[in-house]
Amino acid sequence: MKKFLMAAVALICMTMTSVVFTSCDKNDDNDEPKKAEFTKAAVTYTVTSDAATLGLFKVNVYGTDADGNGFVETMSSPSYTKTVEIPVSKLPCTVQLYTVVTPLEDKVVTEAFDFNVQRKLDVMTLRSDNTVVDDKDHENGIPYFDNPAGTSLTEFARKRNNDPRLVIYIDANGNVTDQTKEK
């Protein structure tokens, strides 16, 4: 009888051990790593110029902020960069970049001058783990060299202000489409 009780106790102990180890097994479907979700769009506005251009013209930079509204800032140095993050809750959204130049003086120049304003709009959509969903960039701006003496700065600015706006559409899934229309 003592052997029978010992065998029964051993059997109960093995059964309990099996139950304990089985309950600690982590083969749940819920333990799979979560997929990274689309969370934001990072938009970088870059405008470059030179000291000679900024000596003749005020250059205003127009873009789209994190809420999808427009902003305007004046260049204070030959290099301008601004990055905004647009959360997925603000998408879909269209972002744009353009510049407006205004002569510092309304005059006709007495010597030839150079004009240089380069623009770049870069849009990258990102997941929560910072992997890229999609990205696009568009550059625009041709330096105008040797503008002749006798050129009206006001008329020259009017022509430059008709340069195309850089436009990129971001949909709710993080896909980006360049919608810039070159003239």
Side-chain angles (χ1 to χ4, degrees):
M1 180 83 160
K2 199 173 191 182
K3 283 186 179 180
F4 177 73
L5 277 173
M6 289 299 276
V9 168
L11 184 61
I12 291 172
C13 285
M14 287 185 345
T15 303
M16 293 301 285
T17 303
S18 168
V19 168
V20 169
F21 286 129
T22 301
S23 68
C24 291
D25 190 13
K26 289 195 172 191
N27 284 334
D28 275 342
D29 290 335
N30 296 335
D31 289 340
E32 291 181 25
K34 290 183 179 180
K35 283 189 170 185
E37 297 176 356
F38 168 52
T39 57
K40 64 184 172 187
V43 181
T44 302
Y45 304 93
T46 305
V47 180
T48 56
S49 187
D50 57 26
T53 299
L54 295 178
L56 294 172
F57 297 93
K58 176 174 88 169
V59 179
N60 284 334
V61 178
Y62 292 79
T64 308
D65 69 13
D67 291 324
N69 301 315
F71 71 81
V72 60
E73 295 180 1
T74 301
M75 288 184 70
S76 57
S77 70
S79 181
Y80 171 91
T81 301
K82 179 176 183 150
T83 300
V84 297
E85 292 185 354
I86 302 173
V88 71
S89 63
K90 298 291 184 178
L91 300 176
C93 178
T94 300
V95 294
Q96 61 181 327
L97 169 64
Y98 63 98
T99 53
V100 173
V101 297
T102 308
L104 296 176
E105 292 182 55
D106 185 17
K107 66 179 183 178
V108 173
V109 293
T110 57
E111 58 186 54
F113 69 95
D114 296 339
F115 178 86
N116 181 15
V117 174
Q118 305 286 319
R119 304 172 298 165
K120 181 178 180 184
L121 176 59
D122 186 20
V123 176
M124 184 180 314
T125 53
L126 301 165
R127 294 181 187 92
S128 55
D129 62 356
N130 283 330
T131 58
V132 175
V133 176
D134 199 1
D135 69 344
K136 288 268 187 287
D137 64 40
H138 193 103
E139 291 186 58
N140 176 287
I142 300 169
Y144 293 89
F145 296 112
D146 297 324
N147 296 294
T151 301
S152 163
L153 293 181
T154 301
E155 186 58 34
F156 183 83
R158 189 177 357 260
K159 290 177 184 175
R160 297 293 48 89
N161 292 337
N162 285 323
D163 288 345
R165 295 177 181 201
L166 306 181
V167 180
I168 295 180
Y169 175 74
I170 310 163
D171 74 14
N173 297 316
N175 301 308
V176 295
T177 307
D178 188 349
Q179 296 183 334
T180 302
K181 292 182 177 53
E182 298 292 338
K183 292 181 181 180

